[in-house]
Amino acid sequence: MNNTVIAYYPGCSGKGSSAEYDLSTRTVLRHLGVDALEVENWSCCGSSPAHAVDHVLSAALSGRNLARVRSMGHDLVTTPCPSCLSNLKNAAHAVRDDDVRAKVNSLLDEECPTDVEAISTLQFFLEQVGLDTIQEAVVNPMPTLRVVCYYGCLTTRPPKLMCFDDPENPMSMDNILECCGIEVIPFPLKVDCCGAAFGMPRNDISSRLSGNILNMASELEADAVVVACPLCQMNLDLRQNQVNKACGTHHQMPIFYFTQLMGLSMGLSKKNLGLSKLAVNPEPCLARAGVR
Amino acid sequence: MQAITIQEQDNDFRAEVERRSGQSMVECYQCGNCTAGCPFDFAYDLPVSKIMRLVQLGQREIVLSCHSIWLCASCKTCTTRCPNSIDVAKIMDVLRHMARESGHIKERTVKAFEDSFLASVKKTGRLHEVGVALGYEMRTGRFLTDIDLVQTMVSKGKLSIKPHSMHNSDQVAEIFKRFNGGIHE
Ligand code: SF4
Ligand code: SF4
């Protein structure tokens, strides 16, 4: 595919705790001939705290960004973050109702458009770039790397809103990574919630839920867990020691973003994929898989 | 299982939940599917299907003063699996809004986190992770929350002391000003 241009919403975590997701996503997109055009002057989507407080406020915070996309002349925007995606989609859906749209617009300087759609970058890779193009770009398959794909709760849910993949047994990430020459083992906890929203206020709860995921991955003898969500990643990677402490375990499980493994299979440099930013050191696992 | 003593039925409560969520309570036939899949059920004081029943029965006080509505993570498993296509997660959201408005705050740390998060967005237009942590610590007095993560984040270049810059962050502050809801700073 030749120089497709797509509006790209990085989300706040992309500028901080998930910098490597943003970096590796842009790197791989560019390598596959896609220009990711950052939404001009984007702001926070409000994430879960906004809809926990009020649905109109939440739609307005996201709607402001849909208006920014429209002003760039685009009607499609992609974001790597499922939480941002869920909010952007919710806003796009909510403003189809006249009453809600009036309320949302009363909070905004620039009206929220009704014709801008948001999709995940995962969906963009699968549907608009395509598995064939991805496979053609692979120069460095990693057949001895055994991973499980963990989608988290929001990537495909609720199905009526997300309209992507299977809500109980999604396969999009599995298929992409298999295309990249990686061994993907079936994972029964694919869509279970990791509890990330409560990492700060109720760490006891989130540790238990994240612990379940790490335990299952290690029982299946996975070398690593692969994710598509910055909140899941932070919870499983950065907080892995907290989880170990709370659950009495000793996991040292690398948690990759799927874009990082895509990039490695395409021979892209570790630096441009932000591998050194992962909290659990991925190098031993990569060395075993023959990646240098 | 705990027995709950039912109070006088408040039909306005049920009607308000229906109006604000756009869902019809009568469609719930208590199959329990939502509770069976709820990852937070182990931490809930009232299972989500029981909350549905109590809303049907107009039990305002019991519902708004439970912990569960604060602990729901909006994972939407219930919404995905309800055989009657009820958006159960949306009802949980609405109940939390109503609990906020009426001052039923059963999980202070959760509320403090939400308030800190939104205050940070209001101030700078984008989320500033350090700002949220500090705001949370100020609100709860839990000054060493996540201190173990700070070192890792600093060494990975993931923690910036200054918020990420954005032009016109006042446009975002305006959204909050116009909203004028129950966010207490
Ligand atoms: S799954 Fe739906 S019908 Fe069944 S108890 Fe829950 S809300 Fe009611
Ligand atoms: S959305 Fe809330 S109530 Fe529903 S399953 Fe998830 S945590 Fe439980």
Side-chain angles (χ1 to χ4, degrees):
Chain A
M1 94 194 257
N2 290 323
N3 281 346
T4 312
V5 181
I6 174 104
Y8 174 82
Y9 178 83
C12 300
S13 62
K15 299 293 168 190
S17 55
S18 71
E20 67 273 44
Y21 192 18
D22 179 55
L23 179 63
S24 57
T25 301
R26 290 176 196 256
T27 301
V28 175
L29 284 173
R30 196 178 318 116
H31 187 70
L32 295 174
V34 180
D35 281 340
L37 216 56
E38 186 162 318
V39 175
E40 287 158 15
N41 211 13
W42 59 272
S43 52
C44 176
C45 71
S47 194
S48 34
H51 72 76
V53 169
D54 188 86
H55 289 141
V56 172
L57 174 66
S58 169
L61 289 171
S62 289
R64 180 184 177 278
N65 292 295
L66 296 175
R68 305 268 69 241
V69 175
R70 195 83 246 32
S71 77
M72 291 162 74
H74 287 249
D75 55 12
L76 183 67
V77 57
T78 189
T79 178
C81 173
S83 178
C84 298
L85 179 72
S86 174
N87 280 308
L88 294 170
K89 274 187 174 284
N90 250 318
H93 183 82
V95 295
R96 286 194 216 141
D97 179 291
D98 293 343
D99 276 358
V100 178
R101 186 171 61 250
K103 283 188 200 155
V104 169
N105 284 339
S106 74
L107 300 184
L108 292 173
D109 291 332
E110 209 176 355
E111 284 197 358
C112 177
T114 50
D115 59 349
V116 173
E117 235 197 286
I119 64 168
S120 67
T121 311
L122 179 63
Q123 182 171 4
F124 182 79
F125 274 123
L126 194 78
E127 293 175 1
Q128 311 227 3
V129 177
L131 292 177
D132 291 343
T133 307
I134 293 172
Q135 197 152 25
E136 275 165 30
V138 173
V139 294
N140 181 22
M142 295 169 268
T144 58
L145 184 64
R146 276 169 65 86
V147 303
V148 293
C149 290
Y150 171 62
Y151 294 74
C153 48
L154 285 180
T155 304
T156 56
R157 288 176 173 177
K160 270 192 209 137
L161 183 69
M162 302 316 261
C163 305
F164 173 60
D165 212 340
D166 186 296
E168 300 290 354
N169 184 24
M171 285 300 291
S172 44
M173 218 191 318
D174 293 54
N175 292 340
I176 287 177
L177 293 180
E178 271 173 7
C179 238
C180 294
I182 293 164
E183 188 191 351
V184 184
I185 36 187
F187 191 49
L189 301 186
K190 271 180 180 179
V191 291
D192 280 27
C193 176
C194 70
F198 296 114
M200 199 179 285
R202 285 299 302 267
N203 199 261
D204 53 329
I205 297 180
S206 66
S207 287
R208 175 158 159 183
L209 293 172
S210 306
N212 292 343
I213 289 154
L214 294 170
N215 291 346
M216 179 62 81
S218 86
E219 263 168 50
L220 295 169
E221 295 176 3
D223 296 319
V225 176
V226 189
V227 299
C229 171
L231 301 170
C232 298
Q233 205 280 345
M234 177 164 174
N235 215 28
L236 295 172
D237 181 45
L238 189 64
R239 292 187 186 276
Q240 197 167 122
N241 279 335
Q242 292 182 344
V243 174
N244 280 334
K245 225 183 200 170
C247 304
T249 48
H250 305 278
H251 297 297
Q252 279 294 318
M253 179 72 71
I255 315 290
F256 293 105
Y257 287 106
F258 75 100
T259 41
Q260 293 180 304
L261 292 186
M262 283 177 84
L264 284 177
S265 77
M266 294 171 191
L268 305 177
S269 86
K270 287 180 179 172
K271 186 162 172 273
N272 291 338
L273 300 169
L275 282 165
S276 65
K277 288 191 179 285
L278 299 175
V280 175
N281 181 8
E283 290 302 331
C285 145
L286 292 176
R288 279 197 304 278
V291 183
R292 291 196 305 125
Chain B
M1 204 179 285
Q2 209 189 329
I4 298 168
T5 310
I6 298 296
Q7 302 166 356
E8 197 182 332
Q9 188 151 337
D10 174 350
N11 286 326
D12 292 348
F13 174 59
R14 172 186 167 147
E16 186 178 349
V17 174
E18 291 191 322
R19 182 177 52 75
R20 292 174 66 161
S21 66
Q23 308 299 305
S24 158
M25 294 306 302
V26 73
E27 279 167 35
C28 171
Y29 53 33
Q30 287 291 294
C31 68
N33 231 354
C34 49
T35 296
C38 174
F40 288 80
D41 189 56
F42 75 92
Y44 278 10
D45 54 346
L46 280 178
V48 53
S49 53
K50 207 171 242 184
I51 292 177
M52 293 295 289
R53 182 73 185 127
L54 290 165
V55 175
Q56 287 177 333
L57 295 173
Q59 300 298 302
R60 184 190 298 269
E61 260 320 295
I62 299 179
V63 170
L64 294 187
S65 52
C66 77
H67 288 256
S68 309
I69 54 177
W70 290 92
L71 298 177
C72 165
S74 293
C75 76
K76 310 215 158 77
T77 309
C78 48
T79 299
T80 304
R81 295 185 184 165
C82 174
N84 297 319
S85 305
I86 303 172
D87 192 343
V88 188
K90 192 164 186 191
I91 293 176
M92 292 293 273
D93 252 4
V94 164
L95 292 172
R96 178 159 15 176
H97 302 162
M98 290 168 72
R100 255 183 185 269
E101 289 160 11
S102 56
H104 291 77
I105 316 295
K106 277 299 152 91
E107 287 284 335
R108 299 215 157 265
T109 57
V110 173
K111 178 172 184 292
F113 175 73
E114 291 167 359
D115 290 346
S116 313
F117 187 106
L118 293 176
S120 164
V121 174
K122 178 178 175 184
K123 199 159 156 204
T124 52
R126 291 181 190 165
L127 176 68
H128 178 222
E129 287 160 329
V130 174
V132 176
L134 288 176
Y136 175 79
E137 291 171 7
M138 297 301 288
R139 282 175 174 79
T140 56
R142 300 186 177 202
F143 288 105
L144 297 177
T145 307
D146 286 343
I147 198 77
D148 50 330
L149 304 187
V150 170
Q151 201 186 351
T152 317
M153 290 189 76
V154 168
S155 72
K156 302 286 175 189
K158 286 184 170 185
L159 211 59
S160 60
I161 300 305
K162 277 203 292 188
H164 192 262
S165 62
M166 168 196 176
H167 299 297
N168 306 337
S169 64
D170 49 324
Q171 287 181 356
V172 178
E174 276 303 314
I175 296 177
F176 282 93
K177 270 189 214 143
R178 291 176 198 137
F179 168 66
N180 197 14
I183 302 155
H184 310 291
E185 286 173 53

